[in-house]
Amino acid sequence: MRIEEPGVSRWSRLDARLLLGLLAYACAVAFLQMGASPTAELDQAEQLILSQRLQWGYTNQPPLYTWLLWGIAQWTGPSLTVLLLFKVGLLLALAVSFVGIGHELRLSQRQRVLSLAGLAWLPAFVWEAQRDLTHSMLAATMTSLMLWGSLWAVRRRTWWAYALPGAAAAGALLSKHNAVIFVVAVLLTLLSLPDWRRRLHLGGVLLAIAVLAGLCAPHGLWLLQHPEVLAQTTHKLIGAHDDAGWVAWGELLVSLLKGLLAFLMPWLLVAVPLWWSARRQSAAQSLMTRLLWVVMAVLLVFVLAIGAESFKGRWLFPLLFFVPLWLAASVDVDASRATQVMVRGGVALAVLCGVLLPLRIVWPVAGEVQTRQNLPLVGLGVQLQQTWGAVPPVVLVSHHHVGGNLRLAWGRAPLIQSPRMTWPVALPDEVMVVATDQDLRDPAFAAWLRAQTNQAPGDLHWQTVHAPVLHRPHLPPYVLHWARVKRLPDGQHT
């Protein structure tokens, strides 16, 4: 495969119009969701809890997303608008990197359009990323920037340019641990193709590795000091099964296949006929096809090595985000009507999802009784503040979804603790405890509360606040329970 010299393909006005159109679309969807509900979704609420403080690690997810939000929150405070606009920025960065990769691969304008349209056929991008994805969305953006930076650096043959893909690779690993599969796959792909291997600069590769190691080292040390975090990560993938040998391997492969289909559908329905009727050979096609096969091989080795049993389609987003680029590089866009189906269908799907995302909050869609964004948590936070008489200094909350939304109501002032993240701080003289109906009956919450206050839920005098469920007047009001815990002379609380 011959590598063309740089400087052939330049960014065009069409590229700018496509990116501006995507920016306008993503902003419109974000503002429509804000107009439909002031309540943050589950993963967003978790970030509101975690971003209260800066540290090398938090949960079983890497910390980069939280670090970035912490830095922004120092200027803006906790804000749903900031959360959603940050997501818009990630979507735009992913699209920009797609266009950049298209230029490095010398794709035509129509091929670049096809690649961007293909993203709209992936539910992880067009639905989940705009609804609630956090770490996977950032990891996909970082791996895409890494691929762009790698192609750019290799073509220019300057050792210092390799610092860019090294930094992007570190960003990917600090966003999602499974991004290591893609980082390894990119290096193996470039080494496996003779023309690309000859262009690799050994000093540059070493520089990229050094940058990657240096940026990831503090979090890596934190992981070594918190082995329970790694155990939580593997527990999501590995279950307890009694099968062994070929039976177990067969179950692993079936699980992987289900995850692949969950991620790739409905894109596959159009991609396969388009590839079959208009496939062609090119330098870009050879590179992207090799990358696709290497990613799948490394993923398979990873799956078999750890004995993973379950996959969610969105977990593959940082690894297979580039399949629309592979398709665009592998077909003659003028040779099949399926190209227009992909492009026009992608626009239609994007518009449909943009309408359904806020509509599902305002009006039940597909039999959905209520969403998390229908819960009036921000309004209940205002009621709690009025009942308490001020903003309490520390609040113990039974679930991070409730706690994150209370931050939207109260701002920076209180430190909110939850079973998801408990900061090692001394409790003040009075502490507010907030719990949902379900959590009050949960033994795990009772154990956590006893560890924090030396009191069980049954020992406290609970009061309630309630508010109507947003956009669901036929449903009973949503209730939160709260109680005061006061410090005793011996330092305990009651």
Side-chain angles (χ1 to χ4, degrees), residues 420-438:
R420 181 64 170 162
M421 187 70 222
T422 304
W423 310 99
V425 297
L427 297 182
D429 292 339
E430 271 195 330
V431 176
M432 174 183 277
V433 182
V434 180
T436 66
D437 276 327
Q438 181 178 358

Side-chain angles (χ1 to χ4, degrees), residues 383-391 484:
Q383 289 189 45
L384 287 171
Q385 179 179 346
Q386 294 171 347
T387 304
W388 185 274
V391 175
R484 293 177 186 265

Side-chain angles (χ1 to χ4, degrees), residues 45-46 48-53 78 381 384 391-425 427 431-432 434 448 452:
E46 179 188 51
L48 288 167
I49 295 290
L50 300 181
S51 60
Q52 293 178 99
R53 295 194 171 186
L384 287 171
V391 175
V394 175
V395 184
L396 305 180
V397 185
S398 64
H399 197 277
H400 58 271
H401 184 233
V402 176
N405 279 285
L406 292 182
R407 282 205 78 204
L408 294 178
W410 294 339
R412 294 190 179 98
L415 177 66
I416 297 180
Q417 308 268 48
S418 78
R420 181 64 170 162
M421 187 70 222
T422 304
W423 310 99
V425 297
L427 297 182
V431 176
M432 174 183 277
V434 180
W448 176 78
Q452 303 304 310

Side-chain angles (χ1 to χ4, degrees), residues 181-193 290 294 298:
I181 295 173
F182 187 82
V183 173
V184 171
V186 169
L187 180 58
L188 292 178
T189 298
L190 296 178
L191 289 172
S192 68
L193 295 168
R290 180 65 59 88
V294 173
V298 176

